[in-house]
Amino acid sequence: MTAAVVAAYEHPYTRHAGPGTTTEQVLTAAFHGVLREAALQPDDVDGLGVASFTLAPDHAIDLAWRLGLRLRWLMEDPHGGASGLNLLQHAVRAVEAGDARTVVLVAGDHLDRAAFRALVANYNRATAETLTPLGLAGPNALFAMLTQRHMRATGLTEKDYAQVPISQRWWAGRNPGAVYRAPLGLDEYLAAPVVAPPLRRYDCVPVVTGADAVVVTAAGRGARAEVRAFGASHNHDGQQGDGLHTGHHLIAGRLWADAGLEPADVGLACVYDDYPVMALAQLQDLGLAPDPGRLLHERLAVDHWPLNPSGGQLSAGQAGAAAGLHGLVEAVRQLLGRAGERQVPARHALVTGYGMVLHRYGACANATILEGKR
Protein backbone atom coordinates (compact mmCIF):
# COMPACT_ATOMS: atom_id res chain seq x y z
CA MET A 1 0.00 0.00 0.00
CA THR A 2 1.28 3.47 -0.92
CA ALA A 3 0.66 6.40 1.42
CA ALA A 4 0.30 10.02 0.41
CA VAL A 5 -0.52 13.44 1.83
CA VAL A 6 -3.98 14.32 0.54
CA ALA A 7 -4.79 17.56 2.38
CA ALA A 8 -3.07 20.41 4.20
CA TYR A 9 -4.38 23.23 6.36
CA GLU A 10 -3.03 26.15 8.35
CA HIS A 11 -5.05 27.70 11.14
CA PRO A 12 -4.53 31.46 10.73
CA TYR A 13 -1.40 32.77 12.36
CA THR A 14 -1.92 35.63 14.82
CA ARG A 15 0.88 37.96 15.89
CA HIS A 16 -0.63 38.75 19.29
CA ALA A 17 -3.46 36.36 20.10
CA GLY A 18 -5.99 37.31 22.75
CA PRO A 19 -5.66 36.15 26.37
CA GLY A 20 -8.47 33.62 25.93
CA THR A 21 -6.60 31.66 23.26
CA THR A 22 -5.12 28.26 24.16
CA THR A 23 -2.86 25.80 22.41
CA GLU A 24 -5.61 23.18 22.54
CA GLN A 25 -7.92 25.56 20.67
CA VAL A 26 -5.55 26.20 17.78
CA LEU A 27 -4.63 22.50 17.46
CA THR A 28 -8.31 21.56 17.46
CA ALA A 29 -9.09 24.19 14.83
CA ALA A 30 -6.29 22.89 12.59
CA PHE A 31 -7.46 19.29 13.05
CA HIS A 32 -11.01 20.07 11.95
CA GLY A 33 -9.79 22.40 9.21
CA VAL A 34 -7.68 19.73 7.53
CA LEU A 35 -10.54 17.23 7.76
CA ARG A 36 -12.75 19.70 5.86
CA GLU A 37 -10.03 20.00 3.21
CA ALA A 38 -9.93 16.21 2.89
CA ALA A 39 -13.74 15.77 3.04
CA LEU A 40 -13.32 13.43 6.01
CA GLN A 41 -15.04 13.03 9.38
CA PRO A 42 -13.36 12.51 12.77
CA ASP A 43 -14.54 8.89 12.77
CA ASP A 44 -12.41 8.32 9.64
CA VAL A 45 -9.24 9.09 11.60
CA ASP A 46 -7.44 6.22 13.31
CA GLY A 47 -4.00 7.79 13.65
CA LEU A 48 -2.81 11.05 15.25
CA GLY A 49 0.60 12.70 15.44
CA VAL A 50 1.16 15.82 17.56
CA ALA A 51 3.97 18.34 18.02
CA SER A 52 3.69 21.24 20.46
CA PHE A 53 5.84 23.08 22.98
CA THR A 54 2.95 24.46 25.02
CA LEU A 55 0.33 21.71 25.11
CA ALA A 56 1.80 20.56 28.45
CA PRO A 57 0.77 19.24 30.86
CA ASP A 58 -1.35 17.49 28.21
CA HIS A 59 0.09 15.07 25.66
CA ALA A 60 -1.05 13.56 22.38
CA ILE A 61 -3.39 11.13 24.13
CA ASP A 62 -5.06 13.98 26.01
CA LEU A 63 -5.67 15.84 22.75
CA ALA A 64 -7.03 12.64 21.16
CA TRP A 65 -9.44 12.25 24.07
CA ARG A 66 -10.60 15.85 23.85
CA LEU A 67 -11.12 15.43 20.10
CA GLY A 68 -13.21 12.31 20.73
CA LEU A 69 -10.87 10.06 18.74
CA ARG A 70 -10.42 6.31 19.10
CA LEU A 71 -7.10 5.46 17.55
CA ARG A 72 -4.89 2.59 16.45
CA TRP A 73 -1.76 4.75 16.04
CA LEU A 74 -0.53 7.65 18.18
CA MET A 75 2.72 9.60 18.25
CA GLU A 76 4.13 12.73 19.81
CA ASP A 77 7.34 14.42 18.66
CA PRO A 78 9.07 17.16 20.69
CA HIS A 79 11.78 18.11 18.21
CA GLY A 80 10.60 21.50 17.02
CA GLY A 81 11.65 22.32 13.49
CA ALA A 82 12.32 18.65 12.71
CA SER A 83 9.12 17.32 14.29
CA GLY A 84 6.81 17.73 11.30
CA LEU A 85 8.92 15.62 8.97
CA ASN A 86 9.67 13.12 11.74
CA LEU A 87 5.94 12.63 12.15
CA LEU A 88 5.47 12.39 8.38
CA GLN A 89 8.06 9.64 8.09
CA HIS A 90 6.39 7.52 10.76
CA ALA A 91 2.86 8.21 9.51
CA VAL A 92 3.74 7.12 5.98
CA ARG A 93 5.31 3.93 7.31
CA ALA A 94 2.27 3.28 9.53
CA VAL A 95 -0.18 3.58 6.65
CA GLU A 96 1.97 1.47 4.36
CA ALA A 97 2.27 -1.22 7.07
CA GLY A 98 -1.46 -1.23 7.75
CA ASP A 99 -1.10 0.10 11.30
CA ALA A 100 -3.47 2.95 10.46
CA ARG A 101 -5.68 3.95 7.55
CA THR A 102 -5.91 7.73 7.96
CA VAL A 103 -3.47 9.76 10.05
CA VAL A 104 -3.76 13.44 10.92
CA LEU A 105 -0.54 15.23 11.84
CA VAL A 106 -1.05 18.48 13.73
CA ALA A 107 1.44 20.92 15.24
CA GLY A 108 1.08 24.31 16.84
CA ASP A 109 1.38 26.59 19.83
CA HIS A 110 -0.11 29.60 21.54
CA LEU A 111 2.87 31.77 22.41
CA ASP A 112 2.23 35.01 24.22
CA ARG A 113 5.19 37.01 25.50
CA ALA A 114 5.34 35.23 28.85
CA ALA A 115 5.11 31.77 27.29
CA PHE A 116 7.80 32.61 24.74
CA ARG A 117 10.17 33.95 27.41
CA ALA A 118 9.70 30.79 29.46
CA LEU A 119 10.26 28.59 26.42
CA VAL A 120 13.55 30.18 25.35
CA ALA A 121 14.89 30.41 28.91
CA ASN A 122 14.25 26.72 29.63
CA TYR A 123 14.50 25.20 26.17
CA ASN A 124 16.68 22.37 27.45
CA ARG A 125 19.08 21.79 30.32
CA ALA A 126 22.06 23.25 28.43
CA THR A 127 20.10 26.44 27.76
CA ALA A 128 18.83 26.79 31.33
CA GLU A 129 22.18 26.04 32.97
CA THR A 130 24.68 27.49 30.48
CA LEU A 131 23.15 30.08 28.17
CA THR A 132 20.38 31.76 30.17
CA PRO A 133 22.75 32.75 33.05
CA LEU A 134 24.86 34.54 30.42
CA GLY A 135 21.89 36.67 29.42
CA LEU A 136 21.30 34.99 26.05
CA ALA A 137 17.52 35.34 25.78
CA GLY A 138 16.89 33.00 22.88
CA PRO A 139 18.85 31.88 19.84
CA ASN A 140 19.41 35.27 18.12
CA ALA A 141 22.92 35.76 19.49
CA LEU A 142 23.94 32.20 18.62
CA PHE A 143 22.82 32.54 15.02
CA ALA A 144 24.30 36.02 14.76
CA MET A 145 27.69 34.46 15.53
CA LEU A 146 27.01 31.68 13.04
CA THR A 147 26.08 34.27 10.41
CA GLN A 148 29.36 36.08 11.04
CA ARG A 149 31.21 32.79 10.55
CA HIS A 150 29.27 32.12 7.34
CA MET A 151 30.11 35.62 6.06
CA ARG A 152 33.82 35.00 6.57
CA ALA A 153 33.63 31.61 4.84
CA THR A 154 31.58 32.74 1.82
CA GLY A 155 32.37 36.43 1.41
CA LEU A 156 28.67 37.30 1.54
CA THR A 157 27.58 40.62 3.03
CA GLU A 158 24.50 41.86 4.82
CA LYS A 159 23.09 43.06 1.50
CA ASP A 160 23.42 39.52 0.16
CA TYR A 161 21.60 37.85 3.05
CA ALA A 162 18.87 40.48 2.74
CA GLN A 163 17.71 38.86 -0.49
CA VAL A 164 16.22 35.93 1.45
CA PRO A 165 13.69 37.93 3.53
CA ILE A 166 13.10 40.36 0.64
CA SER A 167 12.30 37.54 -1.77
CA GLN A 168 10.12 35.70 0.71
CA ARG A 169 8.24 38.91 1.48
CA TRP A 170 7.45 39.18 -2.25
CA TRP A 171 5.80 35.78 -2.01
CA ALA A 172 4.13 36.62 1.30
CA GLY A 173 2.32 39.45 -0.46
CA ARG A 174 0.48 36.72 -2.34
CA ASN A 175 -0.33 34.71 0.79
CA PRO A 176 -3.33 36.07 2.73
CA GLY A 177 -2.24 34.00 5.74
CA ALA A 178 1.16 35.66 6.19
CA VAL A 179 1.42 38.07 9.12
CA TYR A 180 3.80 40.38 7.20
CA ARG A 181 2.70 41.05 3.61
CA ALA A 182 3.84 44.59 2.79
CA PRO A 183 6.68 44.75 0.23
CA LEU A 184 10.16 44.83 1.76
CA GLY A 185 13.00 46.67 0.04
CA LEU A 186 16.73 46.71 0.70
CA ASP A 187 16.69 50.21 2.18
CA GLU A 188 13.98 49.30 4.67
CA TYR A 189 15.79 46.05 5.51
CA LEU A 190 19.05 47.89 6.23
CA ALA A 191 17.28 50.60 8.25
CA ALA A 192 15.66 48.08 10.58
CA PRO A 193 16.97 47.85 14.16
CA VAL A 194 19.94 45.56 14.73
CA VAL A 195 18.99 42.66 17.00
CA ALA A 196 22.39 40.98 17.28
CA PRO A 197 25.06 42.04 14.74
CA PRO A 198 24.71 41.42 11.84
CA LEU A 199 21.10 40.27 12.33
CA ARG A 200 18.38 42.86 11.89
CA ARG A 201 14.68 42.68 12.67
CA TYR A 202 13.79 41.08 9.33
CA ASP A 203 16.38 38.32 9.81
CA CYS A 204 14.47 36.99 12.83
CA VAL A 205 11.14 35.18 12.72
CA PRO A 206 8.06 36.90 14.16
CA VAL A 207 6.62 34.75 16.94
CA VAL A 208 2.94 33.96 16.37
CA THR A 209 0.13 31.73 17.58
CA GLY A 210 -1.20 29.16 15.13
CA ALA A 211 -1.26 25.55 13.98
CA ASP A 212 -0.75 23.42 10.87
CA ALA A 213 -2.06 20.00 9.88
CA VAL A 214 -1.88 17.42 7.09
CA VAL A 215 -3.71 14.17 6.34
CA VAL A 216 -1.74 11.05 5.42
CA THR A 217 -3.73 8.16 4.02
CA ALA A 218 -3.64 5.46 1.37
CA ALA A 219 -3.04 7.00 -2.04
CA GLY A 220 -6.14 6.92 -4.20
CA ARG A 221 -6.93 8.43 -7.55
CA GLY A 222 -7.44 11.98 -6.27
CA ALA A 223 -4.92 14.77 -5.96
CA ARG A 224 -2.10 13.86 -3.62
CA ALA A 225 1.53 14.45 -2.74
CA GLU A 226 3.60 11.28 -2.53
CA VAL A 227 6.91 10.98 -0.68
CA ARG A 228 9.64 10.14 -3.19
CA ALA A 229 12.49 10.15 -0.67
CA PHE A 230 13.19 10.91 2.97
CA GLY A 231 16.35 11.38 4.98
CA ALA A 232 17.32 12.49 8.48
CA SER A 233 20.42 13.12 10.55
CA HIS A 234 20.41 13.84 14.27
CA ASN A 235 23.36 15.07 16.36
CA HIS A 236 25.58 14.64 13.31
CA ASP A 237 28.62 16.38 14.81
CA GLY A 238 28.02 16.34 18.57
CA GLN A 239 27.91 20.16 18.52
CA GLN A 240 31.66 20.15 17.80
CA GLY A 241 31.46 21.40 14.21
CA ASP A 242 31.38 24.97 12.95
CA GLY A 243 27.65 25.00 12.23
CA LEU A 244 28.20 25.94 8.59
CA HIS A 245 27.15 22.46 7.53
CA THR A 246 23.88 21.02 8.76
CA GLY A 247 23.09 17.33 8.97
CA HIS A 248 21.62 17.68 5.49
CA HIS A 249 25.03 17.35 3.88
CA LEU A 250 25.20 13.76 5.14
CA ILE A 251 21.86 12.75 3.64
CA ALA A 252 21.89 14.73 0.39
CA GLY A 253 23.42 12.07 -1.89
CA ARG A 254 21.12 9.30 -0.74
CA LEU A 255 18.08 11.60 -0.80
CA TRP A 256 18.47 12.52 -4.46
CA ALA A 257 19.40 8.96 -5.43
CA ASP A 258 16.33 7.53 -3.72
CA ALA A 259 14.13 10.11 -5.44
CA GLY A 260 15.71 9.46 -8.83
CA LEU A 261 16.04 13.23 -9.25
CA GLU A 262 18.63 15.99 -9.36
CA PRO A 263 18.41 19.26 -7.41
CA ALA A 264 17.52 21.10 -10.62
CA ASP A 265 14.40 18.91 -10.97
CA VAL A 266 12.55 20.41 -8.00
CA GLY A 267 10.16 23.22 -8.83
CA LEU A 268 10.11 24.75 -5.37
CA ALA A 269 11.83 24.44 -2.02
CA CYS A 270 10.30 24.92 1.43
CA VAL A 271 13.30 25.03 3.75
CA TYR A 272 13.32 25.78 7.44
CA ASP A 273 14.09 29.49 7.60
CA ASP A 274 14.49 30.60 11.19
CA TYR A 275 17.33 32.82 9.91
CA PRO A 276 18.48 33.63 6.35
CA VAL A 277 21.84 31.99 6.94
CA MET A 278 20.17 28.68 7.80
CA ALA A 279 18.07 28.73 4.64
CA LEU A 280 21.29 29.19 2.66
CA ALA A 281 23.21 26.55 4.62
CA GLN A 282 20.55 23.93 3.95
CA LEU A 283 20.28 24.82 0.26
CA GLN A 284 24.05 24.56 -0.05
CA ASP A 285 24.17 21.22 1.76
CA LEU A 286 21.43 19.80 -0.46
CA GLY A 287 22.97 20.97 -3.72
CA LEU A 288 20.50 23.72 -4.59
CA ALA A 289 22.91 26.61 -4.06
CA PRO A 290 26.34 25.71 -5.46
CA ASP A 291 26.78 29.46 -6.09
CA PRO A 292 25.03 31.29 -3.21
CA GLY A 293 25.56 34.70 -4.78
CA ARG A 294 23.85 33.69 -8.02
CA LEU A 295 21.00 32.12 -6.09
CA LEU A 296 20.47 35.30 -4.08
CA HIS A 297 20.85 37.94 -6.76
CA GLU A 298 19.56 36.16 -9.84
CA ARG A 299 17.28 33.27 -8.98
CA LEU A 300 15.61 34.94 -5.96
CA ALA A 301 15.87 38.66 -6.69
CA VAL A 302 15.25 38.54 -10.45
CA ASP A 303 13.53 35.26 -11.33
CA HIS A 304 11.52 34.92 -8.10
CA TRP A 305 12.49 31.27 -7.84
CA PRO A 306 9.98 29.85 -5.31
CA LEU A 307 11.94 29.53 -2.11
CA ASN A 308 9.32 29.32 0.65
CA PRO A 309 6.45 30.74 -1.44
CA SER A 310 4.28 30.99 1.67
CA GLY A 311 6.62 33.79 2.75
CA GLY A 312 8.37 31.32 5.02
CA GLN A 313 8.62 31.78 8.73
CA LEU A 314 10.39 35.11 8.21
CA SER A 315 7.17 36.65 6.83
CA ALA A 316 4.37 34.19 7.56
CA GLY A 317 5.47 33.71 11.19
CA GLN A 318 6.77 31.00 13.47
CA ALA A 319 4.03 29.35 15.52
CA GLY A 320 6.25 27.32 17.84
CA ALA A 321 6.29 23.66 16.86
CA ALA A 322 4.01 24.42 13.90
CA ALA A 323 7.17 25.64 12.18
CA GLY A 324 8.05 21.99 11.58
CA LEU A 325 4.88 21.54 9.49
CA HIS A 326 4.64 25.00 7.89
CA GLY A 327 6.86 24.17 4.92
CA LEU A 328 5.18 20.81 4.37
CA VAL A 329 1.75 22.44 4.34
CA GLU A 330 2.89 24.95 1.72
CA ALA A 331 4.52 22.29 -0.45
CA VAL A 332 1.40 20.11 -0.36
CA ARG A 333 -0.84 23.06 -1.23
CA GLN A 334 1.39 23.84 -4.19
CA LEU A 335 1.54 20.26 -5.44
CA LEU A 336 -2.24 19.88 -5.13
CA GLY A 337 -2.80 23.12 -7.04
CA ARG A 338 -4.40 24.89 -4.07
CA ALA A 339 -1.98 27.77 -3.47
CA GLY A 340 -4.10 30.53 -5.00
CA GLU A 341 -2.29 33.62 -6.30
CA ARG A 342 1.14 32.23 -5.42
CA GLN A 343 0.63 28.92 -7.29
CA VAL A 344 3.71 27.68 -9.17
CA PRO A 345 3.77 24.95 -11.85
CA ALA A 346 5.84 22.46 -9.87
CA ARG A 347 5.61 18.68 -9.86
CA HIS A 348 8.35 18.08 -7.30
CA ALA A 349 9.07 19.92 -4.05
CA LEU A 350 11.83 19.76 -1.47
CA VAL A 351 10.87 20.26 2.18
CA THR A 352 13.37 20.44 5.03
CA GLY A 353 13.27 20.45 8.79
CA TYR A 354 15.98 21.84 11.02
CA GLY A 355 16.36 22.87 14.61
CA MET A 356 16.54 21.90 18.27
CA VAL A 357 19.42 24.11 19.40
CA LEU A 358 21.37 22.19 22.03
CA HIS A 359 23.81 24.91 23.02
CA ARG A 360 25.27 26.22 19.74
CA TYR A 361 23.00 25.44 16.78
CA GLY A 362 20.41 22.96 15.52
CA ALA A 363 21.13 19.27 16.06
CA CYS A 364 18.25 17.83 14.01
CA ALA A 365 17.98 17.89 10.24
CA ASN A 366 15.63 16.09 7.88
CA ALA A 367 14.29 16.46 4.37
CA THR A 368 11.77 14.94 2.02
CA ILE A 369 11.11 15.16 -1.71
CA LEU A 370 7.45 15.11 -2.69
CA GLU A 371 5.82 14.44 -6.03
CA GLY A 372 2.43 15.90 -6.82
CA LYS A 373 -0.12 13.78 -8.65
CA ARG A 374 -3.51 15.01 -9.78
Side-chain angles (χ1 to χ4, degrees), residues 23-275:
T23 294
E24 180 191 332
Q25 287 173 350
V26 296
L27 292 173
T28 297
F31 174 84
H32 289 295
V34 81
L35 289 190
R36 289 193 298 271
E37 289 287 323
L40 295 171
Q41 299 298 319
D43 288 346
D44 297 320
V45 177
D46 61 352
L48 179 68
V50 180
S52 178
F53 289 122
T54 57
L55 186 60
D58 280 0
H59 293 280
I61 186 59
D62 302 286
L63 183 63
W65 169 59
R66 295 181 186 282
L67 291 170
L69 302 177
R70 291 171 172 79
L71 305 171
R72 295 195 293 151
W73 185 90
L74 182 67
M75 184 175 177
E76 185 171 349
D77 192 289
H79 293 106
S83 60
L85 294 190
N86 282 343
L87 290 171
L88 175 67
Q89 179 189 27
H90 289 285
V92 167
R93 300 289 190 266
V95 171
E96 291 177 342
D99 294 334
R101 296 183 306 274
T102 299
V103 178
V104 173
L105 307 179
V106 60
D109 282 292
H110 167 50
L111 287 169
D112 57 19
R113 289 185 175 88
F116 181 72
R117 284 195 297 267
L119 175 63
V120 299
N122 300 282
Y123 197 68
N124 55 22
R125 188 173 298 172
T127 295
E129 296 179 355
T130 306
L131 300 180
T132 300
L134 295 176
L136 296 181
N140 289 342
L142 298 177
F143 284 89
M145 290 186 285
L146 195 149
T147 302
Q148 294 170 6
R149 196 176 308 134
H150 193 263
M151 293 172 77
R152 291 193 295 270
T154 62
L156 296 176
T157 70
E158 297 172 34
K159 293 181 180 180
D160 298 320
Y161 292 100
Q163 299 308 316
V164 173
I166 290 173
S167 170
Q168 293 186 184
R169 182 66 67 83
W170 186 89
W171 285 103
R174 289 144 181 81
N175 177 14
V179 296
Y180 291 148
R181 301 185 64 203
L184 176 64
L186 181 60
D187 289 343
E188 182 181 356
Y189 168 88
L190 292 173
V194 174
V195 176
L199 299 183
R200 290 173 165 80
R201 173 184 293 162
Y202 299 116
D203 296 314
C204 307
V205 290
V207 177
V208 299
T209 290
D212 289 77
V214 299
V215 173
V216 180
T217 190
R221 295 184 178 180
R224 62 200 184 276
E226 296 185 0
V227 175
R228 286 285 297 265
F230 184 92
S233 177
H234 304 290
N235 194 34
H236 74 285
D237 62 359
Q239 298 281 290
Q240 298 304 307
D242 59 12
L244 300 181
H245 289 293
T246 69
H248 292 103
H249 81 284
L250 297 178
I251 65 174
R254 179 65 181 271
L255 185 78
W256 295 113
D258 287 350
L261 299 170
E262 299 290 337
D265 295 326
V266 299
L268 73 148
C270 295
V271 303
Y272 193 86
D273 62 318
D274 48 353
Y275 299 92

